[in-house]
Amino acid sequence: MRGPGSIVFVAGGRTVGFGVDNKELVAATPSGRLRDLTSSPTSEYGATWSPDGSRVLFFRRPATMTGTGADAEQPGFYVWVPGGGPPQRIASCSYYCHWYSFAWSPDNRRIAFVSEGGYAAIEVMNADCSGLHTVCGVKRCGQGVGEPRWSPDGRRLIFNISGGWPSRSGYIPPGAIWIANADGSGVRQLTQPNCRLAMPESDSRGCAVDTGPVWSPNGQLIAFYRSDARIPWLPQVTGPARLPGIEIMRPDGSHLHRISTCRGSADYGCYMHFPLAWAPDSKSVAYTPATSDHPSSFRISTLAGKTTTIRTCVVAGSGCLSPYQLTWSPNGERLAFVSRKGTNASIWVIGRDGDRLHRVSRGGACCLAWVRNDSLSG
């Protein structure tokens, strides 16, 4: 019988030497038993876990104001099999690296990512950094590629392409969802085929900004954010604005429809800074609404368009929480999230019906995931 899995994240590690600013990979049980996985004098962060939790890619650098042994490792990207020996460095780089938005393939053998080698491109490599090839570069897709996500069968990638920064008038160039085979063939634009990134503002009426595509676990659907190609709260923007919301479509772009619209004067969107979280049964999507203040809830929308708001307020002690980085438990009964108050962040777990809210860790900087590997926290 499958266990509850492990909640993994990056948090402040134990201090090694004087003045060390350290980060570690940490695993926790849903009840809150913590395990420092890396326990090193160096700083590990930016972790991306494979779907089953058997591998992790992270960036390692010497901790600032280093103590004993803190500068022993070269900065760069590492791939690690927990319990299978030391991490292996697959690429060296300085404190700023031009690779980001990593995503593991379902078979744990390949990694998709965005590379900024002059212009951003979607690239794929094997876990040991071999077999590197470009899926969608600037010549084929233009600039602004991002957020690659694997199909559950490992054959295709979806990603978004945005047109760039807003203009002084509040106009945001259109953005669209694209799809490609993992070998770089079959590249095409799925959404808004008549809206191009380089369109002038006068020709972009009816276009929107599509971002954050995520495959459903069964591979039958894609969910993404859609918002207006203008910043509606700027005083210079006039006329009715398109309300932001969550869209669903099939992988061929057909049967596009909305399952949730963010309404109300406080809603700026459905929080595009963090990915949508599909439930393991592929029947609903969880997300955090962005509001003018700190949200104290998240939402779950079903494929039929029924939306439930889950409040994240503690009866006593911690008040209301601001949830983000939502991730589902493998059995779909609970979710974990990060809540930040000032400079302090903590990890919490809640039932999908809003019950059993409790804190798992007082620390937790980023990179939250709930993986199937029970041994990580055991």
Side-chain angles (χ1 to χ4, degrees):
M1 182 176 179
R2 181 181 294 175
S6 299
I7 301 168
V8 289
F9 50 95
V10 173
R14 60 188 178 87
T15 299
V16 180
F18 175 74
V20 174
D21 176 20
N22 199 358
K23 295 288 188 297
E24 304 279 10
L25 305 189
V26 178
T29 62
S31 61
R33 186 174 69 247
L34 302 179
R35 181 183 180 189
D36 188 335
L37 296 174
T38 44
S39 188
S40 73
T42 55
S43 191
E44 293 87 19
Y45 58 96
T48 302
W49 290 84
S50 64
D52 64 359
S54 64
R55 291 186 175 190
V56 59
L57 181 148
F58 59 88
F59 181 74
R60 169 177 278 177
R61 63 170 174 80
T64 60
M65 297 178 64
T66 56
T68 303
D71 56 353
E73 296 285 352
Q74 293 294 320
F77 290 107
Y78 288 73
V79 168
W80 185 38
V81 178
Q88 301 298 309
R89 190 173 73 249
I90 62 170
S92 299
C93 58
S94 61
Y95 279 78
Y96 177 77
C97 299
H98 296 275
W99 293 1
Y100 55 92
S101 294
F102 296 98
W104 283 91
S105 64
D107 62 4
N108 309 314
R109 296 180 179 180
R110 293 167 294 169
I111 302 167
F113 62 99
V114 176
S115 171
E116 277 189 353
Y119 294 101
I122 302 293
E123 304 203 61
V124 169
M125 64 180 176
N126 296 324
D128 61 0
C129 208
S130 66
L132 179 66
H133 64 275
T134 299
V135 172
C136 199
V138 66
K139 290 184 178 180
R140 177 179 293 186
C141 301
Q143 302 181 39
V145 297
E147 303 177 296
R149 297 290 183 269
W150 291 89
S151 61
D153 62 9
R155 297 171 56 189
R156 294 172 290 177
L157 289 161
I158 52 173
F159 49 94
N160 69 264
I161 301 182
S162 61
W165 296 101
S167 66
R168 291 183 178 180
S169 66
Y171 165 71
I172 306 173
I177 309 303
W178 289 57
I179 192 169
N181 295 323
D183 63 3
S185 64
V187 177
R188 71 185 184 95
Q189 185 174 335
L190 280 182
T191 66
Q192 307 188 95
N194 296 323
C195 296
R196 304 300 176 187
L197 302 181
M199 293 179 70
E201 183 174 353
S202 59
D203 296 335
S204 65
R205 294 179 182 179
C207 295
V209 180
D210 295 339
T211 57
V214 185
W215 290 90
S216 63
N218 61 14
Q220 297 178 7
L221 296 169
I222 296 169
F224 62 94
Y225 297 108
R226 171 165 286 179
S227 61
D228 197 88
R230 298 173 299 169
I231 303 176
W233 60 86
L234 292 179
Q236 63 267 35
V237 175
T238 60
R242 180 198 309 267
L243 290 173
I246 312 300
E247 306 280 344
I248 299 288
M249 65 180 173
R250 291 180 179 174
D252 61 1
S254 65
H255 293 79
L256 175 67
H257 64 282
R258 176 164 290 200
I259 63 169
S260 179
T261 296
C262 294
R263 301 178 182 273
S265 59
D267 274 335
Y268 289 167
C270 302
Y271 226 155
M272 300 179 187
H273 301 293
F274 298 103
L276 296 165
W278 276 99
D281 62 4
S282 300
K283 294 181 179 180
S284 57
V285 178
Y287 55 96
T288 304
T291 62
S292 57
D293 54 6
H294 296 290
S296 57
S297 64
F298 63 90
R299 296 172 185 169
I300 300 176
S301 293
T302 68
L303 298 183
K306 179 183 178 181
T307 297
T308 303
T309 298
I310 306 298
R311 296 279 291 172
T312 51
C313 291
V314 183
V315 175
S318 298
C320 290
L321 308 170
S322 301
Y324 61 98
Q325 292 187 35
L326 297 167
T327 179
W328 290 84
S329 64
N331 62 11
E333 295 179 356
R334 291 174 286 183
L335 297 98
F337 63 85
V338 179
S339 179
R340 182 177 296 277
K341 187 175 183 180
T343 59
N344 299 317
S346 53
I347 308 296
W348 296 75
V349 166
I350 191 171
R352 65 170 300 152
D353 295 323
D355 59 346
R356 296 173 290 166
L357 175 63
H358 64 278
R359 182 167 48 207
V360 170
S361 170
R362 292 184 180 274
C366 77
C367 318
L368 181 67
W370 200 326
V371 297
R372 299 190 297 268
N373 191 340
D374 296 296
S375 65
L376 292 173
S377 55

